[in-house]
Amino acid sequence: MLVPDIAVVPRPASATVLPGGPFVLTAGTAVLVDPQPELVTVAVLAADLIGRLVDGPVEVRHHEPGAVGVIRLRLSDQLPAGEEAYRLVVGRSGVLVEARTPAGLVHGIVTLRQLAVPAPEGALHVPAVRVEDAPRYAWRGLSLDLARHFFGLADLQLVVGLLAHYKLNVLHLHLSDDQGWRLEIPSRPLLTQRSSGSAVGGGPGGFLTAAQFAELVAYAQVRGITVVPEIDVPGHVNAALHAYGELVPDGRAPEPYTGTQVGFSRLHDAVPATAAFLADVLGGVASMTPGPWVHIGGDEALALDREEYVALVRRAADVVRAHGKGVVGWQEIAHAGLGEDTVVQYWDDRAGAQADRDALVAAARAGARVLMSPGQHTYLDMVYDTATRLGDPEGPALGQDWAGPVELRDAYEWEPSTLVPGLPPEQVIGVEAALWTETLATLPGLTQMLLPRLAAVAEVAWTAPDRRDWAGFRQRVAGQGTFWDRLGVSWYPSPQVDWQR
Ligand code: TNX
């Protein structure tokens, strides 16, 4: 018998449709939890998410033995290995979500939310199912460029909600570049005072205060998401040089830069102010970050020779490590031989980047972990196709094309473990989509590039390869459009999918 697949994205490790059911979800449905302090935030989150589905407040109550018609959340160690594993059992009389950690419970709640379908009289029906699920990769992220154009706290919270909905667990923020500085560093106030008001094309810019950053980190953490801040050095530093002219050999600060060229700006290892700058900035960012990682950039430092590049990357890495954090950097840092506790992020999959690929393989063989962000599959700032023009008809078109058009199927159909020949597959820590914002200045523009492709990358990161296929994905993702519509976010109706309307 052909069992219909449940329409969950990313596809769970196992899902069985049960006889009987469905569970009827209404504003009268309560969330029930054991009285453990670590369950309070996840219970409130669950009640909020379900309350928004049913259009009314949902109560949180403590465990009542024998209660029916409730959603029960429980921590349990009787689950498959892995911090993020969860089990979801739905029947007519109730829902049980179990996980080892609050983050696992969030995944179960998200699956429940995706399974709910509108039923007569405003109710929602959840089919009777048993889902046992756990991710393939530990690192499933989105890298978002706040430097070329700035997006503030409310926009970032919306993005965090989308990440959680597709079980992604890392938000990597690109917080500095030639065009602007986007995070307040208390020990270096001129960075934001002088260099936050610029952006590509002369836009207004902006920055996150330290308090807003802390609020975002907490908002993400409740949803099981770690924020990884990136300060891009030793290239991509015009905004820093503009704020602190002492970083330039002749002491003359450059003008703000609002174009989109890359690779022209640089730190100088021999300039005395450089070491203090790296210590203050990366040390400051590390101490503002509860998560285990700080990203030091390291890409496209085209104005530096290899020796000075390596010296500066090692300096930056030393600061991050001295603050007890692991180092993440773009693929070029593989040339610096940083060793085991490093994550190297692969991005440039063009033929010309073979030297980087060789260094990446060598670094991985020496114990570094590799994060997969290949441009041709995960760069969501690429156009979907060359014929479609997205964006305001009066304004500039959205998207770049240096890595090729990236249609939904391109974002979906690739295999992280075999993409780079010679790379030991067990060194791949995960997958991260990237959204650069040279051409993206508004939230609708941003979400049109993210959706639907973010869902495809999320499935590559979460679902085991033997559970993935394009034909199944295009059917399961077809229902997501109505969810984005309900949220009121813009998305691109890729012609590769027969969207449910
Ligand atoms: C390359 S990807 C860059 C970014 C650009 C992006 C545009 C990477 C590490 N560097 O500086 O924004 O291309 O697609």
Side-chain angles (χ1 to χ4, degrees), residues 145 148 174 177 236 262 299-300 330 332 347 379 381-382 400 402 436-438:
D145 172 12
R148 273 55 176 269
H174 182 76
D177 212 305
H236 291 272
V262 295
D299 56 316
E300 300 171 320
W330 297 106
E332 291 91 328
W347 65 275
Y379 265 38
D381 61 320
M382 295 298 121
Q400 308 209 53
W402 66 260
W436 302 94
T437 56
E438 285 94 335

